[in-house]
Amino acid sequence: MKSDSSTSAAPLRGLGGPLRSSEPVRAAPARSPAVDLLEEAADLLVVHLDFRAALETCERAWQSLANHALAEEPAGTSLEVKCSLCVVGIQALAEMDRWQEVLSWVLQYYQVPEKLPPKVLELCILLYSKMQEPGAVLDVVGAWLQDPANQDLPEYGALAEFHVQRVLLPLGRLSEAEELVVGSAAFGEAQRLDILQTIDAARQQQEQEHPGSEEAPKPNPEASPSSLPFLYKLAQLFRWIRKAASSCLYQLRIRD
């Protein structure tokens, strides 16, 4: 059978034009080892329930990031990898009843509170407030909220409200809560009014329970996992973190 010379003689074409034999074929950039370690850590955490190994794998991933920056990856991917490592590490620490270490653990990688991702900061607030230790995150969240670079983030308003509800009100720091709500442009008028009403109700209760006192009593310092039904109290938190970790990993996989 006669071959179609017009077809056989035509050069192979790539997106940029004919592909000549002398041109090297461009290989796709290799995936960062930190991404593989992240998937391994999530598997250890969720499937094998090996929390110590999951935490150690997260730490190896962070070391890999320090040694080999994700130069070939989009900036957003690098940020998601770091955030996902924190999500897995936070849960691993909490599962091992080492929740008190969470804040210092994430800060060793981000150095300053202002650089914490919103999702990680939210998890820290949720964890410490669940364990009746909201004061542990007071300064960290305050520093994050005051940073001008964070005030343009879409998550800022939700985190500011979370800080009021989970940290400032339980600590009885009503004036600080009021100043934050009134002075921030992140709140809509209806939202601001609702929060101010909540603060006012808390102030009235505080005055009834402690007349003449500006400061509510601090949470019981003896509250700890040993005095609370620890696994029951944190069951919902763990499910939330698992969902967040799975979501981050799914977003990374669909980019590959």
Side-chain angles (χ1 to χ4, degrees):
M1 180 182 295
K2 186 178 180 180
S3 64
D4 187 346
S5 60
S6 64
T7 301
S8 59
L12 295 175
R13 293 180 177 272
L15 294 177
L19 179 64
R20 299 178 176 84
S21 59
S22 60
E23 293 179 352
V25 178
R26 293 180 181 178
R31 194 164 71 156
S32 165
V35 176
D36 295 324
L37 288 169
L38 169 60
E39 293 190 358
E40 180 184 343
D43 188 63
L44 288 166
L45 177 77
V46 178
V47 179
H48 302 286
L49 303 181
D50 191 340
F51 310 126
R52 184 178 300 279
L55 181 65
E56 291 173 351
T57 304
C58 286
E59 291 171 344
R60 285 165 49 208
W62 274 107
Q63 187 61 46
S64 173
L65 288 171
N67 295 335
H68 307 91
L70 297 181
E72 299 296 329
E73 298 280 0
T77 300
S78 173
L79 294 175
E80 287 181 7
V81 170
K82 294 176 180 179
C83 179
S84 299
L85 286 170
C86 283
V87 170
V88 175
I90 288 170
Q91 185 180 345
L93 285 166
E95 294 272 16
M96 292 188 291
D97 196 2
R98 293 169 55 187
W99 59 271
Q100 300 97 327
E101 302 173 34
V102 162
L103 200 56
S104 60
W105 188 79
V106 297
L107 284 175
Q108 73 177 315
Y109 298 115
Y110 285 96
Q111 305 299 323
V112 293
E114 293 85 348
K115 299 300 183 184
L116 289 175
K119 186 188 299 292
V120 172
L121 188 64
E122 182 181 2
L123 286 176
C124 290
I125 297 171
L126 183 59
L127 175 62
Y128 282 91
S129 65
K130 283 282 187 182
M131 298 314 302
Q132 300 183 26
E133 290 290 346
V137 294
L138 177 64
D139 293 337
V140 168
V141 184
W144 192 94
L145 292 172
Q146 291 171 13
D147 186 65
N150 294 327
Q151 293 174 6
D152 292 330
L153 296 176
E155 302 91 345
Y156 183 87
L159 273 172
E161 182 177 0
F162 207 48
H163 180 52
V164 170
Q165 300 284 1
R166 295 277 187 164
V167 179
L168 296 179
L169 291 187
L171 291 173
R173 304 179 81 101
L174 306 183
S175 296
E176 287 183 39
E178 204 165 47
E179 290 174 8
L180 175 59
V181 175
V182 172
S184 175
F187 298 101
E189 288 305 318
Q191 183 186 23
R192 180 179 287 110
L193 181 60
D194 287 343
I195 300 174
L196 289 175
Q197 288 176 344
T198 301
I199 295 172
D200 186 59
R203 179 174 282 114
Q204 292 179 21
Q205 181 179 357
Q206 184 183 104
E207 290 173 353
Q208 290 174 1
E209 295 177 355
H210 310 281
S213 174
E214 292 292 329
E215 195 79 16
K218 292 181 172 53
N220 182 3
E222 296 181 359
S224 67
S226 62
S227 62
L228 296 170
F230 184 62
L231 295 178
Y232 174 78
K233 282 282 187 182
L234 292 184
Q236 289 184 324
L237 173 61
F238 291 163
R239 283 196 294 271
W240 192 93
I241 298 177
R242 285 192 180 100
K243 182 179 179 181
S246 299
S247 173
C248 288
L249 287 173
Y250 174 75
Q251 292 174 15
L252 290 170
R253 288 192 182 108
I254 62 177
R255 291 199 179 103
D256 293 339

